[in-house]
Amino acid sequence: MSLIRQIWLLLLLTLILAFGGAFGLSLVSARASLSTQIGQQNQNSALSLAQILGQDGRLTVMAATLDRQFQLGGYARLRLLDAQGLPVLERAAAPVADSVPAWFARWVDLDPLPGRAEVMAGPQRAGMLEVQSSTRFALQEFWAVSQRSLAAMLALGALMGAVGWTVLRRLRQPLARTVEQAQAITERRFVTVSEPDVPELRQLTRAMNAMVERLRTLFDEQAGQVEHWRRQAHADPMTGVSNRAHFMTRLKLMLQSEEHAAGGALLLVRVGDLQGLNRRLGRQRTDDLLRETAHTILDSVGGASVFEVGRLNGSDFAIVLPEVSSLREPAMDVVSRLRSLWRGQLPPVSAVIGAVRWWHGAPMSALLGAADHALARAEARGPFAVELDDSGGALALGEDAWRQVLRDALSAGQAALAEFPLIDMNAAVVHLECPLRLPLHGSTAPTPAAEWLPMAKRTQLTAQVDLVAVELALKAIARDNMSRAVNLSPRSLQDSQLIPRLRTLLETHSASAPGLWLEVDEQGALNQLPLLRELVGMAHARSARVGLEHAGHHLSDPSALLEAGLDFVKLDASVTEGMAHDEALGQHADALVRMLHGIGLKVYAEGVASADDAAALWRAGVDGITGPAARR
């Protein structure tokens, strides 16, 4: 029972005891007083009647007088005895129906003492008179007074209850805020609340707020360490963009992973005559110029939902842009921004750009060779030249045709889930990674997501695709009781029908829901926290889990993770690849795992290919790995 309910119960019992006791005592006191008054009246009536009867002295006359007196009413019983104690006359009134309930009359039980007086005929004793007055009128008045007293007590009790409710409401608000704060901590969300006016609650709230601030400071310190090691491991120390190794790893994953785009653009940007600039401008000014170049490139591509910018060597920068329809637009935007940046610069500074089209499965060496060849042609043309190579594979169908192809594939009922194990340190399967496969163009052969997912995003069909994958996973869980992880596109979260339909699926397959793991891409998820929080709340209410995939690049702020209330994080392969032989990579992964474990999240590693990297990840404390090393 909650504290508020206990206080309400205590208040209710107190009111009942107080008002019930007061009401009962008042009735008992009134009953005793009334019985005394009626007893005195009986005695007075007996004395006065005895005097009247003694004036004549004859028993027959006295009996007639008493009989007339009884007829006048007001008596319950009259009794006259002679000198020897024998009854001469006895009259008793018959019961009369009135408004007083029988139970009340029995409970009150007015039984006053009868009045007794000797009847004297001169100096001699003529008899004894007993008088018992009627209590009917007294009971009626007592009943009316009791009703009025009860009504007054109830009204006063209601007033006291209203006052108590008001006071408890004032107490309940800070208590509720404190409970919500404690609940938020259990959900790994750290919030502070205003201090209430009640001294005891103020001290409790102040202590809770202090604990929250200490925890937030601790996680901020851990996040700072993670960011420091991320820069050491993945960032170029001068410009802050990705270093060559990290950029190449990211490019390789985009080319090989079926969950990434089917194609895009690769741009190489070269600052002209860097050695000459270094001699003429000096090292410090040249370094500033390279930093300005990196910031300008980031500003140019910053509007894209997914991109990667890296510095390959002293003068060369590279840009990867998935899902772009044109090579010319991003290349011309970068070169125009650089031209404006260096306008009027003395000595003059220039750059050239080579851009090529890439597609899923393309050999990275051939792609880089084509981009370098385009860059060489641009250099031959002169400053701020742009060369494009758009000979790469492209999507032959238009959006309308792709929309129909995808709808046909979804409605055919031939969609299937691939299965890749995610294992723990003991090689036990934690769950199966289940990317969706769709048969396209009437074929029964499943097609990887990289070939159709970009067009699903462009045609606004990602929510339908994700719902099909979730339903297939729930049915598979029901068959073999094996947990499964399904990807949700960040774009699907923006579909207003996704969460209601997910809720329906989880309720329909409630027995399978605890085995369902939902994964959302890190960058897209953290950019729309309210929608992610809504998804997490809905899934947790039905025992499913939600986490981030392809993570590790945007985890420097733990507050976003705390607010989201996630269950797990899967580190992208570009964060962990090669960590066994690179101290900076290992330090970054260790710090990242410690921070995520500190806020109660499970940590898994994706795409682990090397046994050495797997061993380093186990030493770092990850909870599981997936990829070629896990399958081996």
Side-chain angles (χ1 to χ4, degrees), residues 298-336:
L298 289 172
D299 290 340
S300 176
V301 301
S305 59
V306 180
F307 64 88
E308 189 69 34
V309 177
R311 186 185 180 200
L312 303 184
N313 51 48
S315 61
D316 290 357
F317 294 85
I319 309 167
V320 176
L321 293 171
E323 301 179 29
V324 295
S325 57
S326 169
L327 294 181
R328 176 171 295 276
E329 289 182 9
M332 295 306 297
D333 185 73
V334 172
V335 79
S336 64

Side-chain angles (χ1 to χ4, degrees), residues 72-186:
L72 295 176
Y75 296 101
R77 186 166 63 87
L78 288 178
R79 187 181 183 195
L80 179 62
L81 304 176
D82 60 15
Q84 287 74 33
L86 298 176
V88 177
L89 176 69
E90 186 172 357
R91 294 285 186 270
V96 179
D98 54 21
S99 59
V100 179
W103 62 266
F104 185 77
R106 288 194 300 271
W107 179 76
V108 172
D109 189 23
L110 282 178
D111 189 19
L113 294 174
R116 294 176 179 273
E118 290 185 346
V119 181
M120 304 296 294
Q124 295 182 348
R125 181 175 178 273
M128 176 67 69
L129 178 63
E130 292 183 1
V131 177
Q132 184 75 51
S133 299
S134 174
T135 60
R136 181 166 57 90
F137 298 107
L139 273 175
Q140 289 177 344
E141 183 62 22
F142 195 23
W143 170 247
V145 170
S146 300
Q147 286 180 306
R148 290 194 295 269
S149 298
L150 180 61
M153 291 289 186
L154 291 176
L156 187 57
L159 178 61
M160 292 296 295
V163 173
W165 181 82
T166 303
V167 173
L168 285 179
R169 184 181 180 186
R170 291 186 60 189
L171 291 175
R172 185 179 188 136
Q173 291 175 349
L175 278 174
R177 288 196 297 267
T178 303
V179 171
E180 290 172 359
Q181 186 182 33
Q183 182 65 32
I185 292 175
T186 64

Side-chain angles (χ1 to χ4, degrees), residues 174 195-209:
E195 295 183 3
D197 296 330
V198 183
E200 293 81 358
L201 294 180
R202 186 188 304 123
Q203 294 177 5
L204 173 62
T205 303
R206 187 174 298 166
M208 292 284 288
N209 287 340

Side-chain angles (χ1 to χ4, degrees), residues 254 258-266 304-307 320-327 329-330 357-360 395 449-450 452-459 462 489-491:
M254 290 186 185
E258 64 178 68
E259 297 178 10
H260 288 88
L266 172 63
S305 59
V306 180
F307 64 88
V320 176
L321 293 171
E323 301 179 29
V324 295
S325 57
S326 169
L327 294 181
E329 289 182 9
R357 175 80 59 181
W358 63 268
W359 63 99
H360 182 259
L395 297 174
W452 48 263
L453 185 57
M455 294 310 300
K457 295 177 180 178
R458 192 173 302 175
T459 54
T462 55
S489 170
R491 292 194 182 185

Side-chain angles (χ1 to χ4, degrees), residues 378-397:
E379 281 189 303
R381 288 179 50 197
F384 299 106
V386 175
E387 279 292 326
L388 309 176
D389 182 355
D390 208 1
S391 60
L395 297 174
L397 297 177

